[in-house]
Amino acid sequence: MKNGLDFLNLLNCDVSLKILTNLEDPSDLVRFSAVSRSWRQFVIENGLLKHLCRRMFPQLSRVDHVNELCGTAKGHAEAGSSNFMEWEALKREHRVYAFFARGCLSFAPRECIYEAIIASSTDNDPEEGIHNTLEPRDRVARRASYWSSKGQSNPAVPETLTYRLCADLCVITEINVRPFQAYFQIGKPIYSANSVRFRMGHVKSCMDNIVKESCQDCGNEKFAWTYTSQEFPMAQENCLQNFRLPEPVLCIGGILQIELLGRVQRQEMDSLYYICVSHVQVVGRPLSPAFGIQTFEHTEKFVLEALSYKQPTSPAQSSSAPTLQMRVRDLEQILNLLRGNVVNVVEYGYEWEIEDEESDEEDEDEDEEDRE
């Protein structure tokens, strides 16, 4: 404000709004509002941070209102004139969306899956269950680790894998999926899908009911989806394939579903098509414990709640639920081996002798020497 002149007073409201709504970084709006009381009032009265957050994350259009449940909440519970209450509500929105924008951009990115919920089908449960996809390795204690669908004669039949994330609000940036290669079958086929698609949303009914029931049609009946991605082609390769979303997506409700579309590999034994996944990884920024939500039944709206205005610390990876599950599973497998309960492994009807990979390679070298 050179020579004490405020350019907002020299421009009409529409021009000022057009200038400020072109800002793309929330921190620029926060700095702008800190220049003077009049500029702060202009930003708050026009809800500029709220509108910017909605541009960044269209899923926020479902917000009915915001609440502050932390110690700094003030004004909304007090009696007063309608103008006073309206101003306090606007200031509350400004605070909540300012910290929300900061969290979306600065909270530490991490693995976001908390637990595997259910798969649309499983060939041999629990040996080939969805919980295996939380394990980064495709072999655990010399046993194959993967999820397998049931076989289908029609390669167009899709499958779904549904997961609960570590927070009700997560900003998801990428999803990684590794198809499983059946190294114990002739030709070592890879049971990938033709393409993948991702859905994010929240639960409509009790989570216990979802886990107990069949989930073939759960995408429409059990969950409310707030985001559906485009289709991404999947390669028939035994590697962790990266599917980076075009823009970061706000997952509202902490549920993520992977749709596996199209089957490409037929099993030689029964001539049926299968999809098998070794590992799934979801990368993003959990906004818990700073933020939470309250969803309304029979409506797509929700309440955005500010629970704390403190920057969360990076979580200790050793305390994460998936890591603990992996350790328990490893221990069970090792105990079975020590007890002599596992002699060989049968997968897809093929008997696979348990041997170290190195010994297999040594045998192959010896065979080549004998031929020479």
Side-chain angles (χ1 to χ4, degrees):
M1 291 186 291
K2 190 176 179 180
N3 299 325
L5 295 177
D6 188 343
F7 84 89
L8 286 181
N9 293 331
L10 302 177
L11 302 174
N12 62 48
C13 181
D14 291 339
V15 174
S16 299
L17 282 175
K18 189 168 185 179
I19 294 173
L20 294 178
T21 52
N22 282 325
L23 296 177
E24 297 182 352
D25 190 338
S27 61
D28 291 336
L29 269 180
V30 172
R31 283 191 286 266
F32 180 89
S33 63
V35 171
S36 69
R37 290 182 179 179
S38 63
W39 287 20
R40 179 172 181 269
Q41 182 174 348
F42 186 84
V43 170
I44 293 175
E45 283 181 342
N46 291 281
L48 295 183
L49 267 171
K50 173 183 175 180
H51 294 307
L52 178 54
C53 287
R54 285 188 173 184
R55 290 208 314 272
M56 294 170 58
F57 302 103
Q59 299 79 29
L60 287 174
S61 61
R62 299 172 184 261
V63 173
D64 183 77
H65 62 277
V66 302
N67 276 342
E68 283 181 313
L69 302 183
C70 44
T72 59
K74 52 186 177 180
H76 61 280
E78 300 173 1
S81 66
S82 59
N83 289 339
F84 172 81
M85 297 299 291
E86 182 179 354
W87 174 243
E88 290 298 317
L90 289 171
K91 288 197 297 182
R92 182 166 66 251
E93 275 195 344
H94 178 78
R95 288 192 297 269
V96 171
Y97 281 106
F99 192 65
F100 179 87
R102 177 184 173 188
C104 292
L105 299 174
S106 66
F107 286 8
R110 51 169 286 195
E111 161 65 54
C112 290
I113 293 181
Y114 176 73
E115 65 176 342
I117 299 177
I118 199 164
S120 51
S121 76
T122 301
D123 193 31
N124 295 303
D125 196 22
E127 290 81 5
E128 297 174 346
I130 185 176
H131 61 277
N132 291 333
T133 62
L134 302 181
E135 168 60 59
R137 300 166 293 176
D138 62 356
R139 305 187 195 190
V140 177
R142 299 184 178 182
R143 288 185 66 98
S145 174
Y146 62 97
W147 162 81
S148 173
S149 71
K150 289 186 177 298
Q152 297 286 344
S153 58
N154 180 5
V157 176
E159 297 286 348
T160 60
L161 301 174
T162 307
Y163 300 88
R164 193 211 307 258
L165 303 183
C166 59
D168 286 340
L169 286 173
C170 290
V171 178
I172 304 301
T173 55
E174 63 183 73
I175 300 166
N176 304 314
V177 182
R178 180 183 180 183
F180 178 70
Q181 182 173 25
Y183 49 83
F184 43 79
Q185 289 187 358
I186 297 174
K188 299 181 180 180
I190 300 173
Y191 291 89
S192 65
N194 186 56
S195 61
V196 293
R197 183 167 57 203
F198 309 110
R199 298 182 187 270
M200 304 181 202
H202 59 85
V203 178
K204 286 183 180 178
S205 59
C206 175
M207 184 67 71
D208 292 337
N209 293 335
I210 292 172
V211 174
K212 292 176 183 177
E213 296 174 6
S214 172
C215 200
Q216 185 65 49
D217 299 317
C218 67
N220 297 323
E221 297 179 0
K222 307 300 181 184
F223 304 105
W225 302 118
T226 58
Y227 170 81
T228 302
S229 77
Q230 66 192 66
E231 287 188 28
F232 297 88
M234 174 178 274
Q236 195 175 8
E237 297 176 359
N238 178 29
C239 62
L240 193 63
Q241 301 183 31
N242 175 263
F243 303 99
R244 191 166 187 86
L245 301 175
E247 297 289 342
V249 175
L250 180 64
C251 179
I252 300 169
I255 299 296
L256 180 138
Q257 186 176 88
I258 299 175
E259 292 184 281
L260 301 159
L261 308 172
R263 301 161 187 250
V264 298
Q265 183 63 51
R266 195 202 312 255
Q267 181 179 243
E268 182 179 345
M269 176 183 171
D270 57 11
S271 296
L272 296 178
Y273 290 92
Y274 290 81
I275 300 177
C276 301
V277 172
S278 174
H279 183 48
V280 171
Q281 182 185 63
V282 178
V283 179
R285 289 184 168 91
L287 301 183
S288 174
F291 291 94
I293 63 167
Q294 289 291 335
T295 57
F296 298 120
E297 291 186 9
H298 312 298
T299 179
E300 296 181 346
K301 296 291 185 179
F302 70 97
V303 180
L304 177 61
E305 297 180 332
L307 307 177
S308 170
Y309 284 128
K310 295 180 179 179
Q311 182 90 4
T313 57
S314 298
Q317 295 296 327
S318 60
S319 63
S320 63
T323 301
L324 290 175
Q325 292 173 0
M326 294 172 195
R327 289 181 175 179
V328 170
R329 185 172 168 227
D330 285 356
L331 181 59
E332 290 175 349
Q333 298 279 11
I334 292 170
L335 288 175
N336 284 331
L337 287 171
L338 292 175
R339 291 169 181 165
N341 294 338
V342 180
V343 178
N344 50 48
V345 179
V346 178
E347 303 285 0
Y348 283 115
Y350 292 89
E351 185 171 313
W352 170 49
E353 297 294 336
I354 297 181
E355 295 179 292
D356 290 335
E357 293 183 38
E358 294 180 358
S359 63
D360 291 342
E361 294 175 356
E362 291 174 359
D363 292 341
E364 291 178 359
D365 294 339
E366 292 176 359
D367 292 340
E368 292 179 0
E369 292 176 359
D370 293 339
R371 294 191 196 98
E372 293 174 357

